Amino acid sequence: MRHIILTTLIFLLSLAKSVSQVENDPFYSLEDIIGDQPESTGNEVDCTPILDDLQYFKENPLNLNSATFSDLNEIHFLNDVQINNLLAYINSNGQLLSVFELQYISCFSNDVINKILPYITVQPVKEQEKIPWAKAIKSGRNQFYLKSKRVLEKQKGYEPVNDAMLSQNNSHYLGSPYQCYFRWMYNYKSFISAGIISEKDAGEEFFKGSEKQGFDYYSAHFILHGSGIIKTLVIGDFDVQFGQGLTLWTGFSAGGNTSGLLNSLRNPQYFTAHTNSDENRFMRGAGVTISSGSYDFSFFLSDNRMDANVLPADSTNSGKLTVSSFPTSGNHTTMHEIAGKNAVKARTAGAHLDYVSEHLKIGISGIYYGFNAIVEPGSAPYDKFSLSGSSDYRAGFDYRLRYDKFTIYGEEAFDKHNSVAMMNSAVFETMPQLLFCIQQRKIDRGFHGLYASLPGEGSAISSENGVYLGLELYPARNWKILAGFDSYRFPWLKYGVDAPSFESTFSILLSYLPSREFTLSLGIKNDVKSGNIITEHNPSVVLADSKKQNFRFNVSSHLSPDLSLIYRIEQVNFSRTSSLEHGFLALQDIRYSLEKIPVCISFRYAIFDSDSYDSGLNACEDDLLYEFSSCSLSGKGNRIYLVVRYEQSKKICLWLKFTQTYYDRNTLNTGLNFINGPAKSEIKVMLRIIM
Amino acid sequence: MGQMNMRKFYWFVLILVIHDFHVFAVGDNYPVGARQAGMANAAVMLSDLWSISHNQAGLVSLDKLTIGFFHENKFIVSKYAYQALVIAVPVHSGVLGASVSYFGYSSYNEIKAGLAYGKSFGKILSAGLQLDYCNTYVTGEYGNRGALVVEAGLQSQPIENLLIGVHVFNPLRAKIAVYDENIPTILRMGVAYRFSDKVILAVENEKDMLMKPVFKTGIEYHIYKNFFIRTGVMTNPTQLCFGIGYIMNDFQFDMAVSNHPELGITPHFSLSYHL
């Protein structure tokens, strides 16, 4: 008995320590949810929706005893197996008495418990609340965000130009190099939320020229989560998530296959506010989810505008607008980009019916969209099956079945031209120490991912057949292994790949976690990709495999609640035909919370050296709240950044980030972003006010 | 081949190496300490007097005034002698150190003089900082050229017996004036595990911004009473190192030999004394 008390006490103490550690570290474990996103290389990933959820739960911890599957899903750290085990545990053993019970639930490792602790609580279940409207308007919470950033060096596009050049389409940026962002958000608990977002990207005009209305982009939304028959009502700009995303899924979706091993199961939230800064792919209109018993019915209408690459008027199309593609950058910085701004009107309607029971969830969904323009992709062979015409519809069937320690899920969808997309998965929880999953996917050529989020490695326009195997293994105390193998075929051509091709990815991550504060890990990734080889002697197209091996050794140590140090060494070997290129990265992170003043600091010093772009390296970075950047480094040089968070009070918080990348050469970038010097520096500031 | 011819051949190889592999570069950070040399310089996480050259954070382990002398003769070429004199003084808030090293001969030489400071933050973390003046002299028009260089390091012990060190030389990318000659920027990171009081195994990576990464590993075995043996290996180019050490009262004597595949053997000696 004494022994048990002692162990509990030790556990309690260590838990308390880790809680404070998490709270002091605003960046903790975000990388786990988002993963290394190779496709977002060099960009900032706007993960506002995820952080909105986490921040809400931090202030209003989720009561595990009353949480539903979708509530738990919003914490983002738990996979399907863990959520179901938790629900099953509560079902059979009654309500949890304390958070310490979590460690008795299968698949809840200390690591996972640590991550979710700041966002959960365990309390007896209370009666469900009704929305007190009068109170809601008075006691709701208002948040304001102001953000700005700019590159400090002079870039070519911002140099003054003469009148002759002014009329040229792409010779210069029209606006200033400052990016400006404003967001107002209102919420009353989780019942009501509303918001306005406006943004001006770097290089866009502000209150002049083509942007007389001020900001380049405005967005607003209102969402109501009721407890009665109307489960969700949304008006304004919103994202839609149905099924597994093959028919309809806009906005952010975490992780790809290779990052989130067992997290490929998506738990749709039907409608969410459109809060990230994607200026094109979202719905503008209204949507409603009606809930009755085990059935959820969702329906929406949208009338939105999208940027497009407009083709010159053609006599054959009787004056109807013709476009070649829809760019997604949201930048309107040059004459050419402004010409395509909001050029196409897209009308969209969609519906979804879900049946949910304890073990089974099935749904059907459909979407129709039409443009006031005709889409005519380029004539290159790889574009033969690209999005074309002026309207399309898709319908899909999705399912999730859980029986004992076995889960299957997936979605099958087809479109107007009877092209099919399929994704089917099975997760086996054989023992608490071993989980594995199999996923199959098949996307026909001609199936388009507009407003959908297709599984797989390729971009939304390419057809792909693939199989993914994933494994999560706890071979011994303190050891963890994640492994995945993904092999896929592209039956049609892609840009730069002029024949059907076969590719594969293998990854393994071995971690040693001797204590809560210390992790040592070794990751190995092997990518085989295909590409054209063009030689003078042989003008016909030959494909050759390129192989990229990546070795990453990472040590992360939380020396005290206030101080964390992370060390990483990474090596890349890239080979194609007979050439072999190398890349190398070494970095040191320091995260420190000051004692006397409410300031957190995150600092990085990194040194990199790669022979080419292909052997370049990616490193995720700490950033301002709501941003998560992955920096792509190639060439020789070093990179430093410093993020400072100053929390003056619960109400006012200020973030500042300075980055500088120094290269061992005299000029950087090409075109409008050309810099005459060896370094690129950027400064970002953000202010949050809560009322 | 006569003695003179052999010398000429060495000179020829050396010049080749300088141009191709940058074994030497202006203002390079040559390591000091025969204990470390015996472990292939996998030493960024170790702490003793010679930390003043490898990672100033390691100075904090000294509790008495300590002085040391180091000598090595690169590839046993008489004009390529390298020597250093170091001193470390524990003060109220940390440990202060000073070092001066000299490489070369009358017509070409490099002098590095540094002031170091190491401070510990509890048992688990220490930090160090050094300010150097690096001077290169070449006879004739070049004369004396120098620059101020900063070094900084951290050492930590996140779990029992595991030592981690990181050190950066010249993070501010100082250059030797006039000719725009770069003083290298070098990042070193390493982990060591102390298996018992007797054995320590160290692994380190060193990355000069412009050079290939160098991996080093070394082991030290406390074989008998006051007697230590050491060995290590490093890559780019592959070099084997062996060393011995002996402690007598307040004196510590270390000796090491390293073997460069093209240029041959380098002996290293160091002597330190706790006052």
Side-chain angles (χ1 to χ4, degrees), chain B residues 80-226:
Chain B
Y80 280 73
Y82 178 47
Q83 45 254 316
L85 199 61
V86 304
I87 179 166
V89 193
V91 291
H92 177 66
S93 61
V95 178
L96 276 174
S99 64
V100 57
S101 66
Y102 178 89
F103 167 76
Y105 59 106
S106 56
S107 315
Y108 177 92
N109 59 59
E110 292 176 31
I111 296 174
K112 178 178 160 189
L115 275 176
Y117 178 64
K119 183 169 168 57
S120 75
F121 303 90
K123 257 180 80 176
I124 49 170
L125 181 76
S126 59
L129 199 69
Q130 178 158 301
L131 189 68
D132 303 315
Y133 187 75
C134 297
N135 186 74
T136 302
Y137 172 78
V138 182
T139 183
E141 197 189 334
Y142 190 98
N144 279 303
R145 307 261 183 241
L148 276 173
V149 171
V150 176
E151 300 179 40
L154 280 179
Q155 286 188 346
S156 64
Q157 190 172 348
I159 53 175
E160 198 73 8
N161 292 324
L162 186 90
L163 312 168
I164 300 181
V166 59
H167 180 257
V168 57
F169 176 76
N170 192 19
L172 304 177
R173 301 187 297 270
K175 287 175 180 175
I176 296 264
V178 185
Y179 290 105
D180 216 28
E181 286 164 282
N182 280 319
I183 294 175
T185 296
I186 303 170
L187 183 64
R188 295 172 66 183
M189 281 181 185
V191 183
Y193 193 74
R194 208 192 300 274
F195 286 92
S196 70
D197 284 348
K198 288 193 183 303
V199 184
I200 184 162
L201 175 72
V203 185
E204 186 190 310
N205 170 269
E206 177 179 318
K207 176 66 184 145
D208 179 323
M209 198 196 281
L210 306 180
M211 303 290 146
K212 282 184 177 170
V214 177
F215 290 90
K216 316 178 215 177
T217 179
I219 188 164
E220 180 181 62
Y221 181 34
H222 191 169
I223 190 164
Y224 179 74
K225 282 189 181 166
N226 302 332

Side-chain angles (χ1 to χ4, degrees), chain B residues 221-243:
Chain B
Y221 181 34
H222 191 169
I223 190 164
Y224 179 74
K225 282 189 181 166
N226 302 332
F227 203 67
F228 298 83
I229 57 169
R230 308 175 185 113
T231 182
V233 59
M234 65 169 104
T235 64
N236 284 333
T238 308
Q239 295 186 60
L240 274 176
C241 308
F242 302 95

Side-chain angles (χ1 to χ4, degrees), chain A residues 566-577:
Chain A
I566 292 166
Y567 311 84
R568 179 184 298 170
I569 289 173
E570 194 168 346
Q571 166 97 33
V572 166
N573 301 330
F574 179 85
S575 60
R576 161 178 266 167
T577 57

